[in-house]
Amino acid sequence: MVIRIIIEGGALPCNTNSTTNEETIKTYDGSEVLREELKKFFINVLGISDISVIVTYEGSNKNAAKVFVAQPEEDYLYTDLDDIPEKRAEWFDKMEKDGIAIPKDRKQDVFFWIQEMEAWFLKQPQCIEAWAAVRRIEIKTPIASDPLIAGKDIEHLAHKPSNVMKVIFRRDLKNTKTGKNGKPQKLVYGKLRIAPRIIPYLNPQELVTKDSELQSFVDSVKRKVEASIQ
């Protein structure tokens, strides 16, 4: 059985003609690395040996939703909610107002990062520290104790998880590598540059217990797999 997960984000394949600039190529390459790491993560979290997992980026959330609607029922959509979990239904309303109506029987195959993918890292801050440890990045303050996330419900943070990651990188971490000028290299969080390197340090089985959307996704796939072999 093949499971296809359509994801918001990424960059379109770049045209390799002479007008393609270096930044465009880097963006596309970063998208590909992130896609591959997400694929590995989903394979690990599902833990089902007799299925193939395909992960595709489809640009904006609107375009990803359009592609999802046009695909067969075996496909899933995984996208940023960009809001608190109580606003889940409103996401579908916004799509419908934009002319993208998700059929009622397919809404169950739409899952969200609440509020963004970086919420996974903030729910499991040890994965950030594990990534840092192998890259000679000093942990000045334990990330779990940072006031932005300590004792907080990650899905109800006042700030976007990606912005929280930027603050954590600036406040709690220190790059010990030096540049040509002898000064420590600046450490800045970026989704395409950093996120793919942190994902391998996530603990899928533990994260499922902390993320109800991810748990629902896993349960949904397993039900479909069981139904296909009956």
Side-chain angles (χ1 to χ4, degrees):
M1 184 175 181
V2 177
I3 296 297
R4 183 184 183 207
I5 308 169
I6 298 166
I7 293 178
E8 166 200 354
L12 296 175
C14 49
N15 186 345
T16 55
N17 60 31
S18 58
T19 62
T20 302
N21 61 51
E22 184 178 351
E23 194 60 36
T24 299
I25 294 173
K26 286 182 179 179
T27 298
Y28 176 66
D29 289 346
S31 294
E32 280 297 288
V33 175
L34 182 56
R35 184 187 64 79
E36 280 297 320
E37 290 301 336
L38 284 171
K39 175 182 175 179
K40 292 176 186 176
F41 174 84
F42 282 122
I43 289 173
N44 288 335
V45 78
L46 289 169
I48 305 173
S49 59
D50 55 349
I51 67 168
S52 295
V53 176
I54 298 173
V55 173
T56 64
Y57 270 127
E58 297 296 346
S60 68
N61 62 351
K62 293 179 184 178
N63 193 65
K66 287 180 182 177
V67 173
F68 167 74
V69 170
Q71 296 302 314
E73 293 183 0
E74 288 76 14
D75 288 3
Y76 291 88
L77 174 63
Y78 223 112
T79 183
D80 288 342
L81 182 60
D82 292 319
D83 215 323
I84 58 177
E86 289 79 9
K87 298 295 183 70
R88 196 178 190 277
E90 292 185 14
W91 183 91
F92 292 98
D93 294 338
K94 290 177 183 177
M95 287 293 119
E96 188 164 358
K97 288 178 181 178
D98 287 325
I100 310 167
I102 310 293
K104 186 176 181 180
D105 62 342
R106 304 227 41 212
K107 289 182 178 180
Q108 62 187 6
D109 295 330
V110 178
F111 296 92
F112 298 99
W113 283 293
I114 303 173
Q115 306 178 26
E116 296 178 301
M117 185 195 72
E118 285 81 3
W120 281 358
F121 304 152
L122 300 179
K123 289 180 179 182
Q124 210 172 72
Q126 64 268 29
C127 73
I128 306 172
E129 295 181 346
W131 163 81
V134 299
R135 285 166 175 78
R136 294 190 307 175
I137 295 172
E138 178 186 344
I139 301 166
K140 297 189 294 183
T141 307
I143 294 174
S145 66
D146 189 289
L148 281 176
I149 63 172
K152 303 287 180 62
D153 179 349
I154 300 302
E155 294 185 358
H156 289 84
L157 292 178
H159 305 284
K160 293 175 63 174
S162 58
N163 289 337
V164 173
M165 287 288 290
K166 291 176 183 177
V167 174
I168 284 173
F169 267 52
R170 184 173 65 248
R171 186 158 67 190
D172 302 331
L173 303 177
K174 180 182 179 181
N175 197 348
T176 61
K177 295 179 182 179
T178 57
K180 293 181 180 180
N181 59 3
K183 296 181 179 180
Q185 295 178 350
K186 193 174 181 180
L187 190 62
V188 180
Y189 175 76
K191 178 168 287 190
L192 297 183
R193 188 169 53 87
I194 303 294
R197 276 74 185 176
I198 298 179
I199 289 173
Y201 295 96
L202 286 167
N203 182 325
Q205 286 67 44
E206 180 187 67
L207 187 59
V208 165
T209 67
K210 298 180 177 181
D211 192 290
S212 59
E213 281 287 306
L214 185 59
Q215 180 68 73
S216 295
F217 168 75
V218 171
D219 292 343
S220 177
V221 173
K222 289 184 175 180
R223 284 194 300 270
K224 284 190 178 181
V225 171
E226 291 172 1
S228 71
I229 60 179
Q230 289 178 354

